[in-house]
Amino acid sequence: MTQTTQHTQTRPAGSAAGALAAADGERPVREHTLALTLSYNGAPFSGFARQPGQLTVQGDVEAALELLFRRPIETTCAGRTDAGVHALGQVVSFDVDDVDIAGRSLPSLRRSLNALTNDAITVREVEPKQKGFSARFDAQAREYHYHLCVDSTAPIFMKDFSWFVPGGLDVSAMEAGAQYLLGEHDFKSFCMAASAVGKPTNRNVREISFHPETVLGENILAIKVVGNAFLHSMVRTIVGTLVMVGKGQRPSSWVGEVLEARDRQAAGENAPAQGLVFWRVIY
């Protein structure tokens, strides 16, 4: 999604010319870029991106912004998340002008947005950015965490935020398999086939690491994946493939074969959406 920028003659804020423009019904000329840091529970949403007739994170946030500023506001996100995927540190940028923000502090704007957006969304920060900042194009890397529940019994507290994989996993084998995915590669095997048609599928994965955690007494294996950008369902397919290795269903070297195949059918299943969290964006 591209941002639109108004190009008009600049006038000093508060000048007579600016007052005359406001009186004539023109929008003021000086623009500002703001960024929101969002956390959301992805369960009620049909993904991040706006879709007609569907509840989406972007659609809900833009509806709240339109109520506040009394005009449509187009947003750009750091990374689109699929239906059911959560976020801790999604970043959304948009442009406003002098009239939009007149008399509004950033804390009051945050409070208003939290009052107007869906209960499954929290606006954690509202920050001023350099004019023209893009949450998407200025991002250097994205970090995702995938949570596996590795207890012998099904989770209660992490049920909606993890994939229950009983029976134990060979984490050393998963770590060995993950080594094949580090660096820049063609990840066509690890994305939804339809989304790869006619599009570049090379990405650079900086890190895949494994972190045992205990959350409310439940044993979780968090898989941290950091890369410059990700294809549709790429992290979930990486996790599903590594879980097959961890279960002993495939050797670690198989991950390299999957990568070389450049065919989605060569990889493992898509890990369930509820275990994935868009953790943060690195700028």
Side-chain angles (χ1 to χ4, degrees):
M1 181 170 56
T2 57
Q3 288 181 295
T4 57
T5 305
Q6 296 173 328
H7 298 282
T8 47
Q9 183 181 358
T10 302
R11 292 187 291 264
S15 68
L20 180 60
D24 288 343
E26 289 183 25
R27 293 205 65 80
V29 295
R30 193 169 64 164
E31 291 179 322
H32 311 266
T33 301
L34 299 179
L36 309 178
T37 300
L38 306 178
S39 296
Y40 50 85
N41 181 331
F45 299 105
S46 298
F48 178 87
R50 74 174 82 84
Q51 301 174 53
Q54 300 290 324
L55 177 63
T56 67
V57 177
Q58 184 178 33
D60 193 75
V61 170
E62 288 185 347
L65 290 169
E66 184 170 356
L67 281 172
L68 280 175
F69 298 130
R70 300 181 182 180
R71 69 180 180 95
I73 299 287
E74 184 176 351
T75 63
T76 298
C77 71
R80 295 181 178 183
T81 51
D82 293 338
V85 174
H86 316 293
L88 177 67
Q90 171 74 273
V91 179
V92 173
S93 59
F94 57 95
D95 292 333
V96 292
D97 54 37
D98 286 342
V99 161
D100 292 326
I101 60 175
R104 298 181 191 272
S105 68
L106 297 182
S108 72
L109 181 56
R110 183 182 65 178
R111 287 193 298 271
S112 297
L113 285 170
N114 278 319
L116 291 170
T117 50
N118 189 287
D119 287 345
I121 299 173
T122 292
V123 180
R124 294 194 174 274
E125 290 186 74
V126 182
E127 299 176 278
K129 294 292 186 180
Q130 183 176 357
K131 183 179 175 181
F133 167 83
S134 169
R136 176 185 176 191
F137 294 109
D138 288 327
Q140 298 299 305
R142 286 90 172 160
E143 178 179 328
Y144 284 83
H145 290 196
Y146 194 94
H147 300 97
L148 302 170
C149 179
V150 292
D151 280 333
S152 58
T153 55
I156 296 296
F157 300 111
M158 285 293 287
K159 179 181 178 181
D160 297 329
F161 301 96
S162 68
W163 178 16
F164 177 44
V165 184
L169 292 169
D170 184 342
V171 177
S172 295
M174 295 171 74
E175 288 175 332
Q179 292 299 308
Y180 291 94
L181 303 178
L182 297 179
E184 184 166 347
H185 303 284
D186 184 344
F187 282 92
K188 190 172 182 179
S189 291
F190 293 88
C191 72
M192 186 173 289
S195 68
V197 176
K199 297 179 182 178
T201 50
N202 273 41
R203 295 294 187 270
N204 191 321
V205 174
R206 299 182 181 182
E207 177 184 348
I208 303 177
S209 55
F210 300 79
H211 307 273
E213 301 175 354
T214 301
V215 181
L216 294 172
E218 296 175 343
N219 293 312
I220 300 296
L221 177 65
I223 303 176
K224 176 182 173 183
V225 185
V226 183
N228 66 331
F230 292 91
L231 301 164
H232 189 189
S233 297
M234 179 173 158
V235 176
R236 291 166 59 194
T237 308
I238 287 174
V239 171
T241 299
L242 292 175
V243 164
M244 291 184 71
V245 172
K247 287 180 173 181
Q249 295 171 337
R250 295 286 192 277
S252 300
S253 59
W254 173 66
V255 179
E257 297 170 11
V258 171
L259 187 68
E260 290 299 319
R262 296 179 176 84
D263 180 352
R264 174 62 187 88
Q265 302 213 2
E269 67 176 299
N270 252 10
Q274 79 269 10
L276 184 59
V277 181
F278 185 8
W279 204 256
R280 68 180 179 124
V281 188
I282 301 164
Y283 290 103

